[in-house]
Amino acid sequence: MASLSRADHEAGAASPRLPADHPGVNKLFAVLAYGEIAAFYRLAEEAKMAPDLRGRISMASMAAAEMGHYELLRDALEGRGVDVVAAMAEFASALDNYHRLTTPSTWLEALVKTYVGDALAADFYLEIADGLPDEVADVVRAALAETEHSQFVVAEVRAAVTRSSKQRSRLALWSRRLLGEAITQAQYVLAEHDELVDLVVSGTDGLTQLTGFFDRVQRTHDKRMRELGLI
Amino acid sequence: MASLSRADHEAGAASPRLPADHPGVNKLFAVLAYGEIAAFYRLAEEAKMAPDLRGRISMASMAAAEMGHYELLRDALEGRGVDVVAAMAEFASALDNYHRLTTPSTWLEALVKTYVGDALAADFYLEIADGLPDEVADVVRAALAETEHSQFVVAEVRAAVTRSSKQRSRLALWSRRLLGEAITQAQYVLAEHDELVDLVVSGTDGLTQLTGFFDRVQRTHDKRMRELGLI
């Protein structure tokens, strides 16, 4: 998946580092872990809209990759003496809400959501990771490692929007809605978890930069919309 | 998962080997591959009945493991110049029928189906693998490799049937129904694919032993029912 560019990342590279035992790190791993479980079930559900077996297999492979990432995070949390299932509980409602409010109604919407949603998650989390010690940042980066499936999505969406400008408009709106819901839910999560705000602030050179954080997410989102042929 | 005992296997060990390029081998890999895809989606669906997040995670992990096995089979087929998606198509209806006719109505039924169904598949395929060259048999065995999750199922089912003899009777009936449907669908598949009959016959010392094949499957099924506390 595409993520913030190297230049964007370097802007935050000189920020002060938080210690690896900052309580926000457990929260970060837990919200990431629940995100993988939620994504697994969402992909399995949305695969029902696939037009053929090949599409269903692609969705199943992506879902299985999410579980591989979940297991990384579970192991990291266990290594820190934290029970992953208990730790995830407080993030369930925000992530479930995101998925409930962005339930695709077509196969193309499901594909766009997979691509854009995964990339948005990567933007949020990788920017945060930049302010964290390497041992923590490495876990985050591994859990967000690009899967090999995104090219299948890009090809299918581009082909569809090239054929139909109506599809292009619909999917562009859909993509903006995904961004809006993701930011809304991210803000809910931050409002309820001061430990996570510490992490974001550390990764973005201070609280005055929090707006800049969301601006950068918006900018990379636009880049992805271009990749998909939506703008 | 439990499989046929060593002694059962050795009964077929002296049987004539088929060549690795026997056309039945591609069919065998394809039916196994579709079985993994079907199991993935079935597990994801049945996880909705899980009483808690822990159960949903266990089902998701099992489903992800099925996709790992699918990828082994896909790679093996691609190495033989076969497109996995096209090859699987002819087995979709038998396997979909099995799952449709054995849709669990409770979480415990889902758990029993996971355990007993995986083990039945292993019995069928490992017995066939015994009559095949090592390079082929190794792929089959890897694709059926035990996952780490079965102990979670055994513990949960045993606890439930120890508490309730009514549950024990219901789940024992359910388990026999799973066996019956599995044998029915296996016989359909064999009736339509002579190349697969060659493989079964080779693994079981000839056609007169085909009844013995199903008898052995029945016997190991009983062993598993004992493990689950159902008899």
Side-chain angles (χ1 to χ4, degrees):
Chain A
M1 76 197 56
S3 66
L4 295 181
S5 72
R6 185 49 33 202
D8 287 333
H9 274 197
E10 279 166 8
S15 55
R17 298 259 162 153
L18 291 174
D21 64 355
H22 186 283
V25 172
N26 290 347
K27 302 286 181 190
L28 177 65
F29 286 175
V31 66
L32 269 163
Y34 190 80
E36 305 289 359
I37 300 292
F40 172 91
Y41 279 109
R42 187 49 60 172
L43 287 165
E45 186 68 22
E46 291 170 4
K48 289 178 185 164
M49 287 185 275
D52 54 27
L53 182 55
R54 212 171 286 272
R56 281 167 62 80
I57 293 170
S58 297
M59 293 298 250
S61 292
M62 286 190 273
E66 309 278 4
M67 288 309 294
H69 293 155
Y70 164 78
E71 282 157 17
L72 278 175
L73 292 159
R74 177 202 59 200
D75 293 348
L77 279 168
E78 282 178 0
R80 298 167 66 91
V82 177
D83 177 69
V84 61
V85 176
M88 291 190 301
E90 62 191 291
F91 300 105
S93 74
L95 287 161
D96 290 347
N97 280 342
Y98 168 74
H99 285 297
R100 193 172 46 76
L101 293 167
T102 58
T103 302
S105 55
T106 66
W107 172 237
L108 285 169
E109 285 186 0
L111 289 180
V112 169
K113 179 176 170 183
T114 300
Y115 190 75
V116 166
D118 273 12
L120 277 171
D123 288 349
F124 283 127
Y125 293 122
L126 291 176
E127 178 131 355
I128 294 170
D130 282 343
L132 298 176
D134 288 343
E135 65 197 274
V136 174
D138 288 350
V139 173
V140 175
R141 292 187 189 115
L144 295 165
E146 185 165 1
T147 57
E148 65 201 75
H149 310 288
S150 45
Q151 282 319 302
F152 137 84
V153 174
V154 173
E156 195 153 338
V157 173
R158 285 192 78 101
V161 302
T162 302
R163 280 195 303 272
S164 159
S165 64
K166 194 173 155 196
Q167 276 291 8
R168 175 182 284 119
S169 312
R170 285 188 52 158
L171 292 174
L173 271 176
W174 171 246
S175 175
R176 295 201 187 285
R177 194 167 131 213
L178 294 171
L179 174 67
E181 292 296 347
I183 290 179
T184 301
Q185 297 304 326
Q187 286 173 336
Y188 275 129
V189 169
L190 289 174
E192 286 171 9
H193 296 92
D194 287 346
E195 311 95 320
L196 283 173
V197 174
D198 282 355
L199 266 54
V200 175
V201 166
S202 161
T204 55
D205 282 334
L207 194 55
T208 55
Q209 300 299 322
L210 199 55
T211 316
F213 172 75
F214 286 111
D215 284 351
R216 283 193 296 282
V217 168
Q218 164 84 60
R219 217 154 58 227
T220 51
H221 179 75
D222 286 348
K223 201 172 78 184
R224 243 123 36 198
M225 285 182 66
R226 270 190 295 279
E227 282 163 9
L228 291 173
L230 297 182
I231 50 177
Chain B
M1 77 198 54
S3 65
L4 295 181
S5 72
R6 186 47 35 200
D8 287 333
H9 275 197
E10 278 166 8
S15 54
R17 298 256 163 155
L18 292 173
D21 63 355
H22 186 284
V25 173
N26 290 346
K27 302 287 181 190
L28 176 65
F29 286 175
V31 66
L32 268 163
Y34 190 80
E36 305 288 359
I37 301 292
F40 172 91
Y41 279 108
R42 187 50 58 174
L43 287 165
E45 186 69 22
E46 292 170 4
K48 289 178 185 165
M49 287 184 276
D52 55 26
L53 182 55
R54 214 170 284 274
R56 282 166 62 79
I57 294 170
S58 297
M59 293 299 252
S61 293
M62 286 189 274
E66 309 277 5
M67 287 309 294
H69 293 154
Y70 164 78
E71 282 156 18
L72 279 176
L73 293 158
R74 177 202 59 200
D75 293 348
L77 279 167
E78 283 178 0
R80 299 167 66 90
V82 177
D83 176 71
V84 61
V85 176
M88 291 190 301
E90 62 192 288
F91 301 105
S93 74
L95 287 161
D96 290 348
N97 279 341
Y98 168 74
H99 285 297
R100 194 172 46 76
L101 293 168
T102 59
T103 301
S105 55
T106 66
W107 173 237
L108 285 169
E109 285 185 1
L111 290 180
V112 168
K113 180 176 169 183
T114 299
Y115 190 75
V116 165
D118 273 13
L120 277 171
D123 289 349
F124 283 127
Y125 293 122
L126 291 175
E127 177 130 358
I128 294 170
D130 282 343
L132 298 175
D134 287 343
E135 65 197 275
V136 174
D138 288 349
V139 174
V140 175
R141 291 185 190 118
L144 295 166
E146 184 164 3
T147 58
E148 64 200 77
H149 310 287
S150 44
Q151 281 319 302
F152 138 82
V153 174
V154 173
E156 194 153 339
V157 173
R158 286 192 77 101
V161 302
T162 302
R163 281 195 302 272
S164 159
S165 65
K166 195 172 153 197
Q167 277 292 8
R168 176 182 283 117
S169 311
R170 284 188 53 157
L171 292 174
L173 271 175
W174 171 245
S175 175
R176 295 202 187 282
R177 192 166 132 214
L178 294 171
L179 174 67
E181 292 296 347
I183 289 178
T184 300
Q185 298 303 327
Q187 286 173 336
Y188 275 129
V189 168
L190 290 174
E192 286 171 8
H193 297 90
D194 287 345
E195 312 93 321
L196 283 173
V197 174
D198 282 356
L199 266 54
V200 174
V201 165
S202 161
T204 55
D205 282 332
L207 193 55
T208 54
Q209 300 298 323
L210 199 54
T211 315
F213 172 75
F214 285 110
D215 283 351
R216 283 194 295 282
V217 168
Q218 163 83 62
R219 215 154 58 226
T220 51
H221 180 76
D222 286 348
K223 199 170 78 183
R224 244 123 35 199
M225 286 182 65
R226 269 191 294 279
E227 281 161 12
L228 290 172
L230 297 182
I231 49 178

